[in-house]
Amino acid sequence: MWLCGQYFNTEIIDRIQARIESEPEISRRGLSRQVCEWMDWRAVNGKLKEMSCRKALQELHRRSRIRLPELNRRYSFQRTKAVIKQNLPPAVKICCDLKKLGTVELVPITSRYSKASREWNQLLDAHHYLGSGPLCGAQIRYLIHSEHYGCVGGFSFSAATWRLKARDQFIGWSERARRQNLQRVVCNSRFLILPTVRVANLASHVLSRCVNRLAVDWHERYGYEPVLVETFVDAGQYTGASYRAANWLRVGETAGRSDGYANGKVSDGKKQVYVYPLQSDWQSRLCRESKAVELPRPESPQDWVEEEFGSVELFDERLRERLLVLARDFYAQPGELVPQACSGSMAKVKAAYRFFNNRQTDMQVLLQPHIAATLDRIQKHKVVLAVQDTTTLSYTAHASKDMGPINAKWNSAVGLMMHDTLAFTEDGVPLGLLDVQCWPRKPEEAGKGALRHRLPIEQKESMKWLKSYQAVEQAQQLCSETMLVSVGDREADIYELFEEATRCSGQPKLLVRAMRGRSRTVEQVQLWEKLSQQPVAGIQQVYVPRKGNRQARTAKLLVRFSAIRLDSPKTKSGAAVKMWAVFAQEIEFGEDVDTPIEWMLLTTVPTKTFKNACQRIAWYSKRWGIEVYHRTLKSGCRIEDRRLASTDRLEACLAIDCVVAWRIYWLTKQGRETPNIPCDEFLNEAEWQVLWAYVKKQHPPVKPPPIGQITPMIASLGGYLNRKGDGPPGTTTMWRGLVRLQAMADGFSLCKAQWQRDGP
């Protein structure tokens, strides 16, 4: 669990409790120091974060995960100290120009026991509406001294607000970046010019001087430099003119909730939020984040949901539990809207919408544990195909304001674009997602395709293919024993992608179907002409599935192949790229075939024999699997029917639906590829027993039957007839069957529980 920005796993919690039991007299301070050393929990300056650890230990104690030793009530700081009173000199009215104050000096307070500290406290208690404190966390205080009039005011800077919507959106950081870099933001928590001082430009003058020296003073005291300062201005009392005159930026307002916060505090009202960057590169430094914490995968997950989402990095155990509940509900009733998936429970529906609206539930964060589970499955195979493709998600009927166009500029359809990468075995079994990109197009960029030859790849939508390939590259580094092949259709015929794939020998492989309209050349000869001149290596048969009105068929392909050096386009300055080309042309096709197959496949995998060429064709034919996946996502999970108020919420919901759609597709394939695995690895006891009783009309067996026998039974609930000429069940009948099966299993479980309570 996440506490105070640190992850406490079961091992460290058990170690803490063992230490408490072996040394009952240990103080909480001593225990917190040891825990910090075990976890290497340190501040930026290298010091142990004892106070944060003490708070975390107290929270573990509150949750009954550990039993802390009793507090020793004899600490010296708990003894009452005599309060030293000092009468302030009578305030002198000052009304003059800034120059007549003489030299204005900022005096830092170095000790809380000093005379300057007492003077600062008394000034703030007497004249500031918030008083002198307490100030939170790391802090620096200053007195403002005039050469001729003495003390005229004071400053204080302390720890920044833990979470602030206006500031966080202005910075643009992720949850992980916020937690890692929040200490580099400080708060101007107090600013006082004595009310008897009326000097034009004094406030903005001392404010500018103070922030100019703040980074140096902070580094001298704490060992690191802040890069941004924040402050709050009560608009009911002040205008904030001095901050604006000192070039501070107003970025929004606080929430100012009148009903109070979760900790019981009630806001004084909304305040204006101002920030001031101390460094020119403040945003890049604040958004810089280290690699995600490798959270341990559940050793014995309760079900597939915990296996795919259990190690999510959400920093809040409640959000993690809600994610697991939502994934189970979505899988139990795929295709149902959120209220129905939550079984009509108002509490669960509200919790679901709050979850999607939470800033921590970013799409990439939610998918990260599933991607990690996918990598574990990839490592068990020698060759894995990482198929990437783009699909559109239409929300025209119920679009939010931040949607974008998804078709031509004259079409009014709006929604989201999604580009995903799904890993397959050579047999076509989906192993899971490796990358998902989702974005709304900007309406003002419509028609940008006319400028495609003049724009760099980074400014084109085509960059999605390179990003996906880079995600596969990261997976390749973690799965060194597996050959990963990135597979794309004609849209992926991009010279920059070929360059990226041939950059070094350790790269994942690439397999792309070339687009004839791109006019690729090989040594100044047209690619199609070059391959047509190669001798026919043989004939290969490929199964072409049904699509729309096109009937399924087995196509016979003439195969040619050759090593080539692909020329760079005329608009590029790159060198020729060494690749292999496989040219497949369909022959002996019927009159009902409108478009016979003609594939020009470009690959970085060495292709030196006819067997190699046939394998490349077989690999590319598995690309159809991602279209089946997209159909499952849209028709089965009905992601386009989700009604959420913003793209951020939709993307969070889409992350769950993507994994649910994969699971349905994977379960369908498992019934074909591994039919002998016991079905209790995929279904719970109530599900397979009630399914057997309903379909077979007999008592279920003692041992769980194999999944190959159960899969057609699930599909039969969704309309699969299992006739002699029918093929294996598809994803459509599977998701329909799963919906009915879940309702049947729920009823069976309720009746069984009732029988056990009432007796025979």
Side-chain angles (χ1 to χ4, degrees), residues 232-236 253-258 261 266-272:
F232 306 95
V233 175
D234 188 345
E253 292 181 333
T254 59
R257 289 176 52 179
S258 58
Y261 296 95
V266 179
S267 171
D268 296 329
K270 294 184 178 182
K271 294 183 179 180
Q272 296 176 349

Side-chain angles (χ1 to χ4, degrees), residues 139-158:
Q139 54 193 259
I140 289 181
R141 295 177 293 163
Y142 297 92
L143 284 172
I144 307 171
H145 267 268
S146 164
E147 180 182 2
H148 301 310
Y149 296 98
C151 184
V152 295
F155 278 106
S156 74
F157 295 88
S158 52

